[in-house]
């Protein structure tokens, strides 16, 4: 880590009043679209995901799935996906950007396949493209986009049938609707990129499945996260030199102790502290909760240096 940064001497603060240069950003989180969702079907099925068209219709009406979703262990029907996206377009036409911090795929983890995942993602991306033809949608990858779920193999020295290259190529193609060609290389390499979305404001979109505790490949290659972390550091160093502010997008919150390996948290915190003047905010998903996390300096713990936002999931899974 470059050691030339300014020491933390005070908490980060922002103007309390809105100004003429403010921009509106809408965050869409954890859609979890289930193509098998069926209104009226069993919402109490004792499986990882319910309300599906192969789980029968319960006699008790209170156990039947509704049109827009269900607060029990059910993901989102297409009606709910469309309604959320259309709501954003109708009520936030002045949004400058949309941060889509995923997941998109359902919790029917025993039935995923490359074809299933691509089909669901294609439908969502097509809807986003139609609805926001002129508004940049900045996308990332979540743990559910992989097949099998959660396991993102390293890009080197793995069998072709274990590789995530199919997902990275697919993402590079679809995200290219909103992104410049310069982002394609790192997306195909590992599902991450950086994009100067306007003068002075840069987005760094991470694929932080290399930190996820359920990504078993990390047990095989503990150094898995080194490349992307170093890339993040180097991007931030250039951003600092260019007087840019940075928004970091990553699906899994780095403050989530149960979801990220400690070494990953430690290294990210080192970067966060070093570039506390450059990183303005983080945007996450995964927990399905409407929440924020405040990060404090390790050296001066009385000072707050960053905040991570999580706007809450689209899916009601579970009891949300």
């Amino acid at each position: 880590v470059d050691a030339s940064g300014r020491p933390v001497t005070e908490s980060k603060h922002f103007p309390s009043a809105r100004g003429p240069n403010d921009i509106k950003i809408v965050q869409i989180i954890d859609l979890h679209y289930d193509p098998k969702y069926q209104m009226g079907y069993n919402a109490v099925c004792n499986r990882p995901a319910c309300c599906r068209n192969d789980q029968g219709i319960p006699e008790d009406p209170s156990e039947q799935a509704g049109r827009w979703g269900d607060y029990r262990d059910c993901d989102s029907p297409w009606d709910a996906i469309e309604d959320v996206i259309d709501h954003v377009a109708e009520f936030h036409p002045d949004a400058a950007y949309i941060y889509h911090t995923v997941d998109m795929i359902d919790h029917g983890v025993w039935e995923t396949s490359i074809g299933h995942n691509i089909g669901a993602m294609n439908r969502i991306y097509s809807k986003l493209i139609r609805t926001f033809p002129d508004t940049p949608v900045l996308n990332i990858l979540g743990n559910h986009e992989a097949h099998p779920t959660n396991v993102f193999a390293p890009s080197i020295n793995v069998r072709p049938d274990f590789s995530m290259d199919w997902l990275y190529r697919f993402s590079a193609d679809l995200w290219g609707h909103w992104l410049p060609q310069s982002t394609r290389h790192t997306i195909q390499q590992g599902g991450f990129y950086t994009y100067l979305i306007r003068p002075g404001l840069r987005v760094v979109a991470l694929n932080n499945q290399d930190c996820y505790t359920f990504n078993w490949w990390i047990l095989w290659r503990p150094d898995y996260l080194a490349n992307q972390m170093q890339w993040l550091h180097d991007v931030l160093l250039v951003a600092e030199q260019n007087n840019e502010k940075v928004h970091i997008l990553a699906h899994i919150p780095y403050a989530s102790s149960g979801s990220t390996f400690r070494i990953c948290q430690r290294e990210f915190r080192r970067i966060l502290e070093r570039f506390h003047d450059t990183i303005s905010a983080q945007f996450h998903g995964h927990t399905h909760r409407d929440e924020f996390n405040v990060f404090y300096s390790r050296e001066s713990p009385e000072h707050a240096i960053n905040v991570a936002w999580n706007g809450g999931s689209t899916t009601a899974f579970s009891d949300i």
Side-chain angles (χ1 to χ4, degrees):
V1 174
D2 177 85
S4 62
R6 183 181 69 84
V8 177
T9 57
E10 61 180 354
S11 291
K12 180 173 287 190
H13 60 277
F14 297 94
S16 57
R18 293 186 179 275
N21 296 322
D22 288 354
I23 59 174
K24 178 186 284 189
I25 297 170
V26 174
Q27 188 180 12
I28 297 176
I29 309 170
D30 284 285
L31 293 166
H32 282 293
Y33 164 49
D34 189 353
K36 297 184 71 173
Y37 186 102
Q38 185 70 47
M39 183 175 67
Y41 277 65
N42 192 1
V44 189
C45 69
N46 297 316
R47 291 187 181 182
C50 299
C51 301
R52 314 186 91 203
N53 59 17
D54 57 358
Q55 294 171 337
I57 300 175
E59 294 182 3
D60 185 347
S62 69
E63 296 182 354
Q64 295 177 4
R67 176 184 174 185
W68 301 103
D70 196 283
Y71 285 104
R72 288 162 287 196
D73 295 333
C74 303
D75 282 310
S76 302
W78 184 249
D79 282 349
I81 301 295
E82 282 198 308
D83 187 63
V84 166
I85 295 173
D86 290 342
H87 179 94
V88 171
E90 179 180 357
F91 289 93
H92 303 284
D94 55 338
Y97 306 98
I98 295 169
Y99 291 171
H100 178 208
T101 54
V102 291
D103 289 304
M104 290 179 281
I105 305 303
D106 59 80
H107 287 83
V109 296
W110 67 96
E111 290 186 330
T112 64
S113 67
I114 292 176
H116 170 85
N117 290 15
I118 284 180
M121 289 187 288
N122 253 328
R123 193 173 190 187
I124 291 171
Y125 284 135
S126 295
K127 174 64 178 177
L128 290 170
I129 290 170
R130 292 194 307 271
T131 308
F132 306 109
D134 302 314
T135 304
V137 180
L138 287 306
N139 301 275
I140 57 175
L141 293 172
N143 54 297
H144 278 269
E145 275 64 74
H147 169 70
T149 305
N150 300 330
V151 287
F152 282 71
S155 297
I156 56 173
N157 298 328
V158 296
R159 286 172 19 191
D161 53 332
F162 291 160
S163 172
M164 285 292 104
D165 286 351
W166 66 270
L167 180 58
Y168 299 148
R169 289 194 302 268
F170 171 82
S171 300
D173 289 343
L174 270 294
W175 298 352
H177 179 82
W178 298 285
L179 296 176
Q181 182 68 21
S182 59
T183 63
R184 189 174 183 89
H185 173 70
T186 54
I187 296 172
Q188 289 184 316
Q189 177 184 342
F192 55 92
Y193 63 90
T194 183
Y195 176 27
L196 187 67
I197 59 176
R198 62 172 52 199
L201 179 59
R202 176 174 297 277
V203 162
V204 175
L206 300 176
N207 175 15
N208 69 343
Q209 315 312 315
D210 58 5
C211 294
Y212 190 34
T213 51
F214 286 97
N215 184 7
W216 310 122
W217 284 101
I218 300 173
L219 303 178
W220 179 63
R221 288 290 300 267
D223 61 343
Y224 185 0
L225 63 88
N227 290 339
Q228 188 177 191
M229 280 289 187
Q230 188 62 54
W231 173 86
L232 170 62
H233 169 275
D234 296 346
V235 167
L236 291 170
L237 188 60
V238 174
E240 178 185 69
Q241 294 166 354
N242 293 335
N243 295 314
E244 297 167 356
K245 297 300 181 184
V246 170
H247 285 172
I248 291 179
L249 278 55
H251 177 62
I252 300 171
Y254 285 99
S256 179
S257 59
S259 295
T260 51
F261 283 102
R262 289 183 180 179
I263 187 172
C264 180
Q265 290 183 336
R266 183 193 70 199
E267 295 306 300
F268 182 78
R269 288 294 301 272
R270 290 179 65 205
I271 292 174
L272 190 65
E273 181 130 358
R274 165 60 183 84
F275 296 101
H276 64 93
D277 283 329
T278 300
I279 302 170
S280 293
Q282 306 166 57
F283 298 85
H284 301 297
H286 190 65
T287 69
H288 294 196
R289 294 190 295 269
D290 186 356
E291 61 187 359
F292 63 89
N293 292 295
V294 178
F295 289 78
Y296 291 85
S297 168
R298 296 180 305 163
E299 303 298 329
S300 303
E302 69 274 20
H303 297 318
I305 60 172
N306 207 255
V307 63
W309 302 101
N310 194 333
S313 63
T314 297
T315 183
F317 187 104
S318 294
D319 293 325
I320 299 298

